[in-house]
Amino acid sequence: MSEASSFPLHWFQAYFVQATDVPSLDGFYAYNPQLFLENCPRTDIKNFWNKAFRTAATKFNVQIISKKQPNWLNVYERLLDGNFDHHGTDGVSSSENATDTTTEVKTDKRSLGSASRSATRALTDDQWQAFEQQYRCMQEDRKWRLPDGTVVEDEMYKYAKTCSTEHAIHSFILDIQDEWVKKMFTAAQIRVMETYNCSPLPPVPECVANFFQLIEDKHDFEDLCAAVRLAGPYNEVEESDADWAQLSLRDLLRCYRWGVIKSLADRNSEKDIILRVWRIIDTAFDNMSVHASRCDKASVAMSARLNKKRRISEAGLAPKLAAWKPDLLLTKDEVEYGCSENGGKEESGGGTKETVEKWLKVPKLLKDMLDLAAQKLEYDETLVRQLKVIGFIHTHLRVSMMLLDSPAGYVTRLSRTRDYEVPIQKERVTHQLLPILKLILKAKVEWCALLCA
């Protein structure tokens, strides 16, 4: 789009109809940032939007407008990032889900001179109302009541009211490892919530366990390579998991032999590390007819929530709100059951991007997946209580996994594993790399049992 006259002016009309303050370009940007960002021209962005706004105000006979401008630096930063989510009030679900207010902000230091950052935003009045309505719609006899009489949803609500910026708790996600849980519940209550209707991750299949047993004591690199090469052969159909483990190890051992892992760690290239290392997550699910997609595809589950209220009004068809595009989507029969996200460069777990994705964005996306899967099951409670969705956070050479389920009441529970790390030294492969392969396979076995049920 290059000229303001070609802009679909009815999009401005929808903003003018609902505006409570004096209309401004800043207000329009806040009303629908996704539409704003997706329709920016390549050059002269500020002049383009001001001209379009004045043209629309004249057409719709808006006689008083404000000159208040958007934060143009923020606009340019988000355009450079190219991965912007919608954060307007239309993106709020009124009952099942809470809000989406997280935004990714990255800058090109060469053009803007500021550091990359991610941020969470304060909840708007409409988002607070949606959260309140979600809580008020809960039936008392269906809430999760602990043996001592404590109602989990009520305690979560109390804490959520103290959080002015977006938090996973606004979606009633009980993150067992989050610090707020220790503040609101006793140790005994936490043990109940952590273990109720929950089983430990299953063991790996016997054929894989036997393969790992052959190589676990091989700490010399050449001995390990020989043991991996001579194991099997494994039937790629009947022993597909052992076949996957052997092929994955042979590929990674080749990387160690030629110094590729060390080079990847030094260059800190996100795409290269995913391509050479974390592809083991993608390929683990091949024999389950699971589609592992890293093609920059938006989550259908999140899109379903964001656009649940999309309608045609007197202003025309409301624009479709864009959902988040995770690094990896795991889908079977058009239903999303898992995702992964790369947390950016290595900052020992304290990076802003990793923190936001680990504690907010991925948990909320998993909840959207669980909600849509439950809908596909027509909310059969027996089946819904068995549902689990899986999320991986891989940052540089570290990885952790999270499982989200709905054990009781209206609560979704998030459980996390510890961080595992791919070693740089080839002598550490059996100590550090094998546990990662086992973790992925345990998640697969857990998921396989669910899908078969």
Side-chain angles (χ1 to χ4, degrees), residues 221 251-267 276-277 397 423-426:
F221 182 73
D251 185 49
L252 289 168
L253 289 174
R254 184 175 182 274
C255 290
Y256 279 103
R257 180 176 296 283
W258 304 116
V260 174
I261 299 297
K262 177 66 165 60
S263 176
L264 291 172
D266 291 342
R267 293 202 312 271
R276 300 304 296 270
V277 177
L397 296 178
I424 295 177
Q425 299 83 8
K426 58 186 179 182

Side-chain angles (χ1 to χ4, degrees), residues 63-126:
Q63 299 182 2
I64 300 177
I65 59 174
S66 169
K67 295 182 180 180
K68 188 176 181 181
Q69 297 288 298
N71 182 332
W72 290 108
L73 178 60
N74 174 265
V75 172
Y76 299 146
E77 289 174 339
R78 296 179 69 184
L79 286 171
L80 284 170
D81 177 29
N83 180 22
F84 29 79
D85 297 337
H86 175 79
H87 306 292
T89 56
D90 287 347
V92 179
S93 169
S94 62
S95 56
E96 290 85 3
N97 302 69
T99 57
D100 269 309
T101 56
T102 305
T103 179
E104 287 299 316
V105 182
K106 299 178 184 176
T107 63
D108 186 334
K109 295 183 180 181
R110 293 170 297 179
S111 60
L112 295 173
S114 60
S116 298
R117 65 184 184 275
S118 301
T120 54
R121 291 184 175 182
L123 298 186
T124 66
D125 289 342
D126 287 339

Side-chain angles (χ1 to χ4, degrees), residues 204-205 207-209 211-212 215 228 231-253 276-288 292 392 433-445:
V204 299
C207 61
V208 189
F211 169 63
F212 287 145
I215 61 176
V228 170
Y234 297 104
N235 186 295
E236 62 182 19
V237 175
E238 297 178 359
E239 300 172 302
S240 59
D241 291 330
D243 182 58
W244 168 84
Q246 184 184 39
L247 291 175
S248 297
L249 262 179
R250 291 193 66 173
D251 185 49
L252 289 168
L253 289 174
R276 300 304 296 270
V277 177
W278 298 123
R279 63 185 296 270
I280 60 177
I281 297 174
D282 310 33
T283 57
F285 299 92
D286 284 349
N287 68 317
M288 294 176 61
F392 292 95
L433 188 57
L434 296 191
I436 294 175
L437 298 179
K438 292 177 183 179
L439 177 70
I440 295 170
L441 283 175
K442 287 180 179 182
K444 178 183 178 180
V445 174

Side-chain angles (χ1 to χ4, degrees), residues 196-226:
Y196 181 78
N197 196 23
C198 179
S199 55
L201 285 173
V204 299
E206 183 178 359
C207 61
V208 189
N210 292 337
F211 169 63
F212 287 145
Q213 189 173 10
L214 292 173
I215 61 176
E216 282 177 332
D217 62 345
K218 309 299 182 186
H219 305 306
D220 177 80
F221 182 73
E222 295 301 334
D223 288 347
L224 175 62
C225 290

